[in-house]
Amino acid sequence: MTETRKLAAILVADVVGYSRLAGVDEDCTLARLRGLRSDLIDPAIAAHHGRIVKRTGDGIIIEFRSVVDAVRCAIEVQTGLIDRNAGVQPERRIEFRVGIHLGDVVEEADGDLMGDGVNIASRLEGICAPGAICLSEDAYRQVKDRLDLAVSDLGSTQLKNIAEPIRVYSLETGAPALAKPTEPKRRSSFALFAPGLLPCSSWRGPAPGMFSAISCGRNAARRLLGETSRATASHTL
C-alpha cells in the first residue's frame, strides 16, 4: 500500500439536525438534499477546484488546493442555502455547519484522506453555528485580508480529541464586515494664512511644517512696511 503525505485545505460540512429532519419526513428530506447537491453543492465544489474525498450520508469531506478556494466554495454554498431557505419554516430548513482547516494529511492509495488535517476540520464543523463557517487560525491567516464578511474571534478552543487548543474564527454568511473608520480630512496649513481666516488674537505659534508660509508672510509684511514708509515720507516733503 502506498500513501502520500501533503499539506491541504480540508472542508468538512454536515447537515444540522439531519436525524430530526429525516424523522419528520425522510423521503422529502432526501429529495431536497439530492436537489441541493446537484444544483448548488457539487457545482460550487467543481467551480472552486475541490475534490470530494468522501460523502458521509448527510455530510461531506472535500479537499482543496488552497484555503481561498475552500472558503469561497463554503461562502457560495452557505449563501445559496440562505436564498433557498427563505420562506421555509425554521424547523424544516436544511442548514449546514462548515469547518475548514489547513493542515498535514495522508492520502491513501484509494484517494481517502487521514490525519490531523481532517480531524481538526471535522471538530471545527462540530462547534460551528448553523449556517456559519469555522476556520482554524492556520486557515484564517490565509484569507483574513480577502474577507468581506463579519468575523468572530472565538478565541483559543479545546477541540475534542485534539491535543492542543486551537484559535477559531467564525464567518457569518449574510453579515457584511464592519466598515473601517475613515480618517478626517486635514486642512491645508497654507489655508490658515489666507486673509481673514486667522486673526492675530487666535495665533498660538506656528504648527509643524508652516515655517515656509510664515517666512513668506514676513517678507510680504516687510515690503508693505517699506512702501508705506516711502509714501509717508514723500507726502511729508
Side-chain angles (χ1 to χ4, degrees):
M1 175 182 287
T2 61
E3 60 183 34
T4 304
R5 186 174 292 276
K6 60 182 179 179
L7 189 68
I10 304 298
L11 183 155
V12 176
D14 195 71
V15 177
V16 178
Y18 176 77
S19 298
R20 174 182 53 81
L21 291 169
V24 173
D25 191 337
E26 184 176 24
D27 291 340
C28 180
T29 299
L30 288 174
R32 292 171 61 200
L33 189 55
R34 291 190 192 101
L36 287 173
R37 284 175 176 170
S38 62
D39 298 340
L40 175 63
I41 299 172
D42 288 357
I45 294 171
H48 298 288
H49 317 292
R51 179 180 75 89
I52 297 174
V53 177
K54 184 186 299 182
R55 294 190 190 274
T56 58
D58 59 327
I60 191 170
I61 300 174
I62 312 166
E63 175 192 7
F64 290 89
R65 292 181 292 184
S66 76
V67 177
V68 173
D69 285 338
V71 171
R72 285 174 175 170
C73 179
I75 291 173
E76 183 174 335
V77 170
Q78 294 290 50
T79 303
L81 285 170
I82 292 174
D83 296 336
R84 285 162 173 76
N85 282 324
V88 179
Q89 295 178 354
E91 65 274 12
R92 297 181 66 85
R93 292 174 183 169
I94 292 181
E95 297 178 300
F96 279 85
R97 294 186 180 96
V98 177
I100 298 175
H101 176 59
L102 175 67
D104 195 59
V105 297
V106 176
E107 183 176 358
E108 301 286 344
D110 60 357
D112 196 9
L113 296 181
M114 302 178 67
D116 281 347
V118 178
N119 296 337
I120 291 174
S122 179
R123 297 308 182 188
L124 289 169
E125 177 272 316
I127 67 169
C128 195
I133 305 165
C134 276
L135 277 66
S136 66
E137 184 173 21
D138 289 337
Y140 178 70
R141 192 180 297 117
Q142 307 300 315
V143 297
K144 64 181 181 179
D145 295 326
R146 301 169 180 259
L147 296 172
D148 197 23
L149 298 174
V151 180
S152 298
D153 184 351
L154 303 184
S156 183
T157 304
Q158 184 65 61
L159 302 176
K160 184 178 179 181
N161 294 332
I162 303 299
E164 298 293 333
I166 291 177
R167 195 176 191 92
V168 180
Y169 296 84
S170 178
L171 310 185
E172 302 174 27
T173 52
L178 296 176
K180 296 181 180 180
T182 56
E183 294 185 1
K185 294 183 178 180
R186 296 181 179 179
R187 293 178 61 186
S188 170
S189 299
F190 184 73
L192 295 174
F193 290 89
L197 291 182
L198 188 62
C200 293
S201 60
S202 65
W203 172 246
R204 295 294 183 270
M210 294 166 56
F211 293 103
S212 60
I214 294 173
S215 178
C216 292
R218 287 175 176 171
N219 292 337
R222 291 192 185 101
R223 289 196 298 271
L224 180 61
L225 289 174
E227 292 171 2
T228 303
S229 299
R230 288 195 298 272
T232 303
S234 174
H235 179 74
T236 304
L237 293 173

